[in-house]
Amino acid sequence: VSSRRGAYSLATRGAELVELTRKRVAKLTSTEPSMVSFHNTVAETVSSLVYGMSWNRGHRDTIVMAETEDHDTMVPLFRAAQVLGLHVRTIPIGSDYCLDLDQAAALIDNQTGLVAVGCSPIGIGTHNDVQEVSKIAHEHEAIVLSDATRYLGLFEFDAMSVGADVTIVSANNAFLAPPGIVIQWVDKDVAREHVPGILGGSTVTAVTLTSFEPALYPDKFEPGLMNVPSIAGLAEAVDYIVTLGPKRIKSHLQSLSSQLSAGLKELSTVLVYGPVHPHRTTFGFNVGVTEPLNCHDVAMFMDQLGIAVRSGLLCAHPLVSSLSGEGIVQASIHVYNTSEDLSLIHISEPTRLG
């Protein structure tokens, strides 16, 4: 099925399905359909944004990003800086695992074109103050990008409440969609002026041997063949979320978060990274406070008990290596988990070793 690439019935049905899904996502996230676009990967989405920016305008030559960014954001920005001759500055976290906002204010200036700060980092479970960082960035007319993958669709559903100009999520995470679909929300003012760095297919309306004319948004943000099967799955996932109800999801997750926080705190052999709060859905830890067990061994032990956890440096090497050089174990919760699931972690033998 090739959306927007044919008049035959199957292509038309595919296009209708894409637009229906766009409307459903917009309604769930309190936005307008024109602000919603679909992509294949976070890295592609970030790259299209950064390469499409007018860096020469205003003599801007700096990207500022949080220390807590995932590789899918951090690495494309590093590569873009190499190619475009830009500078990169990094906002550190403090001893409380939160972004140092004083450092953010010092690092963001009139040379800054783009600020990248995700909502909820891997492993440490904090919620970055994206709105405050956005205030600082907007004082210098910089664009703010935020990966809200572990935030939107869990305790918050209003995409604009994040506070960024461009917000993205991996929809297979919080929104329970199939793999291979990323949702992007773009502020109208940015969407109107920005020409993406990755174009082709239906992102343009006219092409000559010397020029091209970008399509209107959101079409101009969606290059290449759209992943219609995953978008169809996203539509069903959104219906499921609506059926459950955002308030019910928030209440269930808060209960699970409190239970897992309390259970891990009771285990004297477990070192949990990050603050304890009832809105946490990812828990990074190691077993053995003085001499931690290998995180991969712990993960494999837990797998034998039917507990699926991630292990290693995950997708955030700079952040995780600052916690533990060999990596951590990360447990994540979602609406499909139960209190009984979390009890397995609490009673599992690996978490009692050390």
Side-chain angles (χ1 to χ4, degrees), residues 232-246:
L234 172 60
E236 294 301 314
V238 168
D239 283 351
Y240 178 64
I241 290 171
V242 171
T243 298
L244 290 178

Side-chain angles (χ1 to χ4, degrees), residues 38 42 149 169-183 230 234 237:
F38 300 122
V42 169
T149 294
V169 298
S170 294
N172 64 296
N173 193 304
F175 286 85
L176 304 173
I181 182 70
V182 170
I183 309 172
S230 285
L234 172 60

Side-chain angles (χ1 to χ4, degrees), residues 40-62:
N40 295 324
T41 69
V42 169
E44 168 209 304
T45 312
V46 172
S47 296
S48 187
L49 171 66
V50 67
Y51 283 110
M53 293 180 61
S54 300
W55 290 98
N56 292 330
R57 185 184 303 170
H59 304 289
R60 297 180 185 271
D61 62 359
T62 302

Side-chain angles (χ1 to χ4, degrees), residues 171-230:
N172 64 296
N173 193 304
F175 286 85
L176 304 173
I181 182 70
V182 170
I183 309 172
Q184 175 180 257
W185 294 263
V186 184
D187 174 80
K188 287 183 178 180
D189 291 335
V190 174
R192 191 176 298 111
E193 299 296 328
H194 184 71
V195 179
I198 300 176
L199 293 168
S202 299
T203 63
V204 292
T205 57
V207 180
T208 70
L209 293 178
T210 58
S211 66
F212 66 89
E213 185 68 30
L216 298 176
Y217 64 91
D219 291 359
K220 68 178 177 180
F221 295 118
E222 298 173 332
L225 289 173
M226 301 192 71
N227 189 347
V228 177
S230 285

Side-chain angles (χ1 to χ4, degrees), residues 270-285:
V270 173
L271 173 62
V272 180
Y273 302 102
V276 174
H277 59 84
H279 290 167
R280 184 170 182 173
T281 59
T282 58
F283 296 79
F285 62 89

